[in-house]
Amino acid sequence: MTIDAALKELATGKNFAALTTLMPDGQPQTQIMWVHADDEHVLINTEVGRQKFRNVRRDPRVTVTVFNGANPYQYVEARGRVVETVDGDPARADIDDLSQKYTSAPYAGSIGPGGRVILRIAVDKVHKNNI
C-alpha cells in the first residue's frame, strides 16, 4: 500500500518529525527525529541501544508527526506500526544520507556499540492539518 502523498512529500523534504513510542508502563515517549519515506513506509533511523528502539521491539505501535519546517501549523500525523527493522551497513549508509539531507555533511555523531537501525513504519491512519 502506498503512503499518503502529503505525508511522503513532507517526510522526504527537510522537515522534522516527532516520533512517539510506548514505554513499558504504557506512557508515551516522544523525540524529534530526522525522517524519510519510500513509497510504502515512513522511515526513522535510530541506534539499537536507544529506549525508542527497545520500545518498538516490545510494542511496534508508533505515531509519527511530520511538520512543515516553513509552516509548523502544516503537518501530517501518521499512526501505524514498525513492520521491519534494517540494521548493519544499510542503516549506517542511511544515517549518512539523512545527515546530508539535514546538515549537508556526513553523519558526525558517535554510533553506539549496537549500531544503527532503520525503522520501517507501515501507516494505518493519517490526519492532516492545513494541507
Side-chain angles (χ1 to χ4, degrees), residues 21-32:
T21 63
L22 297 172
M23 296 290 288
D25 66 359
Q27 288 283 84
Q29 179 194 42
T30 303
Q31 296 87 28
I32 302 302

Side-chain angles (χ1 to χ4, degrees), residues 43-54:
L43 308 171
I44 297 284
N45 190 306
T46 188
E47 286 192 24
V48 172
R50 299 276 170 88
Q51 181 66 49
K52 68 179 98 20
F53 182 66
R54 292 191 300 273

Side-chain angles (χ1 to χ4, degrees), residues 3 37 50-52 86-87 92 111 116:
I3 65 170
R50 299 276 170 88
Q51 181 66 49
K52 68 179 98 20
V86 179
D87 59 7
R92 180 61 177 103
I111 295 179
R116 303 292 306 189

Side-chain angles (χ1 to χ4, degrees), residues 21-129:
T21 63
L22 297 172
M23 296 290 288
D25 66 359
Q27 288 283 84
Q29 179 194 42
T30 303
Q31 296 87 28
I32 302 302
M33 305 288 298
W34 291 344
V35 64
H36 196 59
D38 60 22
D39 290 336
E40 298 177 8
H41 301 94
V42 174
L43 308 171
I44 297 284
N45 190 306
T46 188
E47 286 192 24
V48 172
R50 299 276 170 88
Q51 181 66 49
K52 68 179 98 20
F53 182 66
R54 292 191 300 273
N55 289 346
V56 299
R57 297 253 346 232
R58 188 190 66 265
D59 185 339
R61 295 176 297 165
V62 298
T63 298
V64 179
T65 304
V66 186
F67 299 86
N68 181 337
N71 176 6
Y73 295 106
Q74 184 183 52
Y75 63 85
V76 177
E77 176 192 53
R79 296 180 188 174
R81 65 207 176 294
V82 175
V83 294
E84 181 183 9
T85 59
V86 179
D87 59 7
D89 291 339
R92 180 61 177 103
D94 181 66
I95 196 62
D96 280 329
D97 291 345
L98 283 167
S99 186
Q100 285 289 343
K101 173 178 156 179
Y102 285 94
T103 70
S104 301
Y107 187 68
S110 63
I111 295 179
R116 303 292 306 189
V117 62
I118 302 167
L119 309 177
R120 295 177 57 85
I121 300 164
V123 177
D124 298 323
K125 185 174 182 178
V126 170
H127 168 75
K128 301 177 198 178
N129 193 64

